[in-house]
């Protein structure tokens, strides 16, 4: 298994390394909840793929989140993402397995100057997951983004509102959320990220979590991350751990 993993890694990195000097770097959106304002390089289709595990008072959930990102130009782009596979189990209940919901996002970016950008995302989440994994209803969201550099520290702050498709009696329709991610390079290849995020909706408990992650970039066209998130109240999963990668897969 170790030899196979090494072979796969070499197959991914060797073609990328050979073009690293004349091709644009990747623009990672993971692993934080916050989305950056910047888009991938125009015409470069990027894949983000990872693994996510969550534990919450006896409940267990594992998934394979993914995202495909394409910038048409520096101002406009699209993102298609979701969970390729989900496995979850509640205490006393049978395990549920299957694909998750799928989100389609249109993104607009405004580059305000060196180290400063703003963005707006419109997202429709289609109920592609089976009952028990997804809600069975579509959700719609709008997300405002502010990205700024403060010396060596980069900030991505998000403020969003989501129209929830499936809700119980007494629960509000609109969920508001906010997050702030701060990242900094440690050296030429390593970087660190910390983030706070939370959401609230009338008739339901508010959520809040703290995330910490490390990212390794052996060259500009590949980034690998690993990290952990801790829920700050009982409405948020106690622990989450994740790992993933970002790399280009095509150019148009």
């Amino acid at each position: 298994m170790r030899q196979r993993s090494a072979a796969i890694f070499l197959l991914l990195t060797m073609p990328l390394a050979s073009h690293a000097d004349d091709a644009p770097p990747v623009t990672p959106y993971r692993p934080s909840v916050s989305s950056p304002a910047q888009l991938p390089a125009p015409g470069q289709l990027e894949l983000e793929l990872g693994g996510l595990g969550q534990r919450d008072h006896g409940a267990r959930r594992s998934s394979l989140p993914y995202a495909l990102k394409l910038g048409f130009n520096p101002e406009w782009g699209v993102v298609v993402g979701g969970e390729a596979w989900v496995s979850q189990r509640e205490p006393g209940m049978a395990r549920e397995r299957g694909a998750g919901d799928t989100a389609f996002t249109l993104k607009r970016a405004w580059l305000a100057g060196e180290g400063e950008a703003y963005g707006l995302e419109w997202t429709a989440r289609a109920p592609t997951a089976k009952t028990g994994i997804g809600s069975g209803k579509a959700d719609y969201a709008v997300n405002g983004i502010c990205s700024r550099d403060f010396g060596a520290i980069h900030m991505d702050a998000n403020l969003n509102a989501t129209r929830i498709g499936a809700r119980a009696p007494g629960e509000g329709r609109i969920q508001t959320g906010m997050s702030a991610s701060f990242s900094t390079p440690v050296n030429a290849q390593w970087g660190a990220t910390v983030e706070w995020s939370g959401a609230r909706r009338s008739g339901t408990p508010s959520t809040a979590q703290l995330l910490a992650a490390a990212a390794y970039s052996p060259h500009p066209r590949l980034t690998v991350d690993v990290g952990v998130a801790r829920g700050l109240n009982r409405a948020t999963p106690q622990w989450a751990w994740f790992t993933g990668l970002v790399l280009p897969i095509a150019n148009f």
Side-chain angles (χ1 to χ4, degrees):
M1 180 64 70
R2 193 172 294 175
Q3 291 179 342
R4 179 179 294 180
S5 298
I8 293 173
F9 182 80
L10 286 173
L11 285 172
L12 286 172
T13 59
M14 287 178 64
L16 297 174
S18 65
H19 297 287
D21 294 334
D22 57 1
V26 294
T27 305
Y29 285 9
R30 56 167 302 119
S32 60
V33 174
S34 302
S35 176
Q38 292 82 359
L39 287 158
Q44 178 165 279
L45 178 63
E46 296 181 4
L47 169 66
E48 301 196 352
L49 183 64
L52 171 65
Q54 294 177 312
R55 185 183 70 185
D56 184 29
H57 302 95
R60 299 288 188 273
R61 191 179 194 277
S62 301
S63 65
L64 297 175
Y66 72 92
L68 290 165
K69 319 191 306 282
L70 177 64
F72 303 127
N73 52 49
E75 290 81 31
W76 289 97
V78 292
V79 184
V80 178
E83 293 174 306
W85 185 253
V86 177
S87 175
Q88 63 183 32
R89 182 172 61 187
E90 300 286 342
M93 301 181 65
R95 183 180 296 275
E96 296 276 2
R97 296 184 178 90
D101 290 337
T102 306
F104 302 88
T105 298
L106 175 65
K107 185 165 185 169
R108 173 69 159 93
W110 290 269
L111 305 180
E114 186 68 26
E116 183 176 1
Y118 300 91
L120 197 59
E121 295 177 330
W122 298 270
T123 298
R125 183 175 293 105
T128 54
K130 69 177 185 180
T131 303
I133 293 179
S135 67
K137 298 287 186 178
D139 301 329
Y140 301 93
V142 59
N143 182 42
I145 308 167
C146 174
S147 295
R148 291 194 65 182
D149 289 340
F150 300 93
I153 298 176
H154 177 78
M155 179 196 75
D156 293 313
N158 288 193
L159 181 63
N160 48 68
T162 303
R163 183 186 184 278
I164 303 296
R167 57 175 180 149
E171 295 181 352
R173 175 73 72 183
I174 302 299
Q175 175 177 286
T176 57
M178 62 185 304
S179 61
S181 171
F182 300 88
S183 58
T184 185
V186 177
N187 55 38
Q189 295 182 318
W190 285 93
T193 298
V194 295
E195 179 190 58
W196 177 90
S197 62
R200 62 180 300 176
R201 179 163 60 105
S202 62
T204 66
S206 298
T207 65
Q209 76 167 17
L210 187 65
L211 175 149
Y216 172 65
S217 299
H219 52 75
R221 288 172 64 76
L222 176 67
T223 297
V224 181
D225 62 70
V226 62
V228 63
R230 170 66 172 169
L232 301 179
N233 57 30
R234 292 187 62 84
T236 313
Q238 288 178 294
W239 288 101
W241 48 94
F242 51 84
T243 186
L245 56 81
V246 184
L247 75 165
I249 58 174
N251 281 280
F252 299 98

